[in-house]
Amino acid sequence: MAAPGDAQSNTSSTQRVKVYCLDQDGKWDDRGTGLISLDYVERSEELGLYVVDEDDHETLLVHRISTDDIYRKQEDTIISWREPEGSTELALSFQETAGCSHIWNHICTMQRNLHFSSLNMSTELRELPDVDISNLPQILEIVTESGIKGQMRLAGLMLKDVKFFDNLMNVFEMCEDLEKLDCLHMMFNIVKGIISLNSHQILEKILGDSLIMKVIGSLEYDPDAPQSLHYRNDVTTHVVFKEDVILSRVVDDATATSLDSIINANKAAIVTLLKDDSNFFQELFARLRSPSTSVESKSDLVHFLHEFCSLSKSLEMELKLRLFKELIDKGIFDVIGEVLQLPDTQHASADILLIFLTADPKLLRSYLVKPETPLLGLLVKGLMEDFGVKMLEIFRILLASRALSAGAQGANIMDIFCEKHIPELVNFITTSCPEKPGDTSESTPGRVSSLLNICELLCFCVQQDPSRTTFLLQNATEKVLFLTRRKEKSIVAAAVRFFRTLLSVLDESVQSYVVKKNLLKPIIDVFVAGGNHDDLLISSILALLEHIRKAKATVLLKYVVDTFWDQLAPFEHRTSIQALKNEQCIESLGPKSNTDPVDMRGNSDGEKSAFDSSTQKEEANPHSSNGEAASSSPLRSERVLDYEDDEDDDEDNKTQKQTEDSVKGREKRCRCREDEQDECKKKPKLCPTIEGNKISTERDGGEAKEPENARSSEDNNNSVDEKKES
């Protein structure tokens, strides 16, 4: 059995509900779907809830509003209660949140007014007083102090008197001419009270063409307003393509819902009338394309077109899509392509495209894949201008992953963008970067914003389609990293984020390309320059290095440590940097990989390091143990690492003992870099050596010793330097 929240949603009425009753088994029994209203209970002066079946118009529910606290509102769309008589659990599940709020507000108001009422409208009020200045206090009292039952009767009396509202507005004009401020304040409260009656018929009448400006005028005299209000002047003179909010200080939520319903109905009527005029849009598009139309006129026409498309949001989806397809057939996208190049129309044109994309992305996507259309190129150009934020939003929808799974159309749009337009964006980045890092030349805010948007879009492309990683890596990365030369940290951080996004795919080809092109160098240089600061930029670089470590990217890890450790060593106090070196040591002590990593320093195939040569010799010895392999770890002679954690492990202690036994009597191996070998031969006593996992510096007859736990890496470094000086 369905729960009360399962209201159907195939109709646009905001007052459509499902009625549920809790049966003896504790399950919600669906009693039917209908339309809810407030009315007097038969043979009673009390108000109640009525639900009438939407198909056969039979009554599904009659409930008299109770003064007891029995009502509960759940999840914004459900009102439930227990009937005082019979203890039956009932629930109403509304299709729309606004409809639920409307009924809930009325229930609360009814409960308050059932307790007390200043006027007993059911017996005393039979007709309205004459509308004149002398009766304004009495009219105000009737409108503002009546209970809920009296309000419904009052609304009926006002509608019955066809001249009531005309006479009331005539009195308003008289008070304004005589500058009777007290009467004008009363008129404000009377009109406010009439609007709060929330009668659909009354609202349509007072908001009609003959009365609307006078009603607006009466609302200018709010006695609680801190300053004079000029609604009429704003509406008639100063506001173009802009909604002026007038009733926000006057109406409650329930009345606002009713007004929204009236507004949406009027919007739908306007859209339908214009759509059904077969010549209207042909003439509109012809004027927009005509070279004789002035730029100012074209700007007004584009804003009108934007306003029309915005009004279409009030249509049901089926009608909206039908309208949009008709506009496409009449050439709206061709027109947008032309006016997008005009000043003062780019924002409105982009908004029109977003309205179409929100309704159905395929409408625009199917147009852009046509080879003869220039619109996609114009959108890319817009990314490089100061309204790129909207263009970024457009591309996010066009290139979203669900678009890529939409068959040939989705694949084509990504192919066209990557192959034809990414080079344009990359060239824009290149021309926006100084030739040398640290250029302090002035930067325009528009270009800064554009660079950020482009980096964001490139990241989005990788996230939506990882198969594009290799293409972007080879065609965009080096030039995007030119942004590290910019002085704006936000732009540099955006370039780092793009590189980090690329490394979400860490196969061997990606790692090898990064090493071959030494792509991390500009990022490491930025970190070294500001590594002692804690800001967004440094955090993004540390996050990148942490990603490399946690992803077990062996090739990149070795590349970072071997190539940049001298630069990173001063920042070893940072956890991420220390963990990076420790991870490399663990990788070096482990089994040798079956794959041959590329030379981390970017050497050619014929060049090998001293470490590579010694490793090959060790592998040629069939008696070499794991411990001997560990001894060939590429540790820098400048650093002495603490293996205290390894010694605490029993298994590692066994391995270390075996290693010491296996290397006993062998000649100690030099750990200097290749470029230090000649100098080392001249001064062998100063050369650090390794015996198994032991590290020491040779002295006359000295033996290898375990590193002292109490000494830091920096202390050992200083010790070696002091001995060299001596």
Side-chain angles (χ1 to χ4, degrees), residues 432-542:
S432 303
C433 297
E435 295 183 1
K436 297 179 181 180
D439 191 346
T440 58
S441 59
E442 292 294 328
S443 301
T444 59
R447 176 151 294 201
V448 171
S449 175
S450 298
L451 292 172
L452 293 174
N453 291 329
I454 292 172
C455 288
E456 186 69 23
L457 181 59
L458 293 176
C459 290
F460 183 78
C461 290
V462 178
Q463 293 165 349
Q464 297 300 307
D465 188 6
S467 65
R468 309 284 173 174
T469 298
T470 301
F471 172 83
L472 291 169
L473 188 68
Q474 297 176 356
N475 294 275
T477 309
E478 288 187 78
K479 293 181 179 178
V480 171
L481 289 178
F482 286 170
L483 293 173
T484 57
R485 302 172 182 174
R486 299 271 305 200
K487 65 177 182 178
E488 301 90 352
K489 290 186 177 181
S490 59
I491 293 181
V492 181
V496 174
R497 283 196 302 273
F498 167 68
F499 189 71
R500 162 68 177 83
T501 306
L502 279 179
L503 294 189
S504 60
V505 179
L506 273 175
D507 56 28
E508 288 195 10
S509 62
V510 171
Q511 296 187 61
S512 300
Y513 189 86
V514 172
V515 174
K516 179 181 177 181
K517 295 294 185 178
N518 199 17
L519 295 180
L520 270 173
K521 184 181 185 306
I523 297 176
I524 298 298
D525 289 343
V526 170
F527 177 77
V528 171
N532 288 322
H533 298 89
D534 289 317
D535 52 33
L536 180 62
L537 174 57
I538 298 303
S539 296
S540 63
I541 297 176
L542 290 174

Side-chain angles (χ1 to χ4, degrees), residues 592-624:
K592 181 175 175 61
S593 173
N594 293 329
T595 59
D596 290 330
V598 297
D599 182 10
M600 293 299 116
R601 288 178 297 277
N603 295 333
S604 63
D605 294 338
E607 296 176 339
K608 299 293 181 181
S609 65
F611 167 65
D612 294 333
S613 302
S614 64
T615 302
Q616 292 172 359
K617 291 178 182 179
E618 292 298 328
E619 291 174 347
N621 186 350
H623 302 292
S624 297

Side-chain angles (χ1 to χ4, degrees), residues 84-100:
E85 301 175 1
S87 300
T88 305
E89 286 279 354
L90 294 171
L92 298 177
S93 177
F94 290 77
Q95 178 186 347
E96 302 289 345
T97 302
C100 182

Side-chain angles (χ1 to χ4, degrees), residues 24 67 143 183 189 244 247 265 301 303 351 511 557 570 603 613 616 646 700 707:
Q24 294 179 351
T67 57
V143 170
C183 293
N189 287 310
D244 193 37
L247 299 177
L301 292 174
H303 282 89
D351 285 336
Q511 296 187 61
L557 192 62
N603 295 333
S613 302
Q616 292 172 359
D646 293 337
D700 295 339

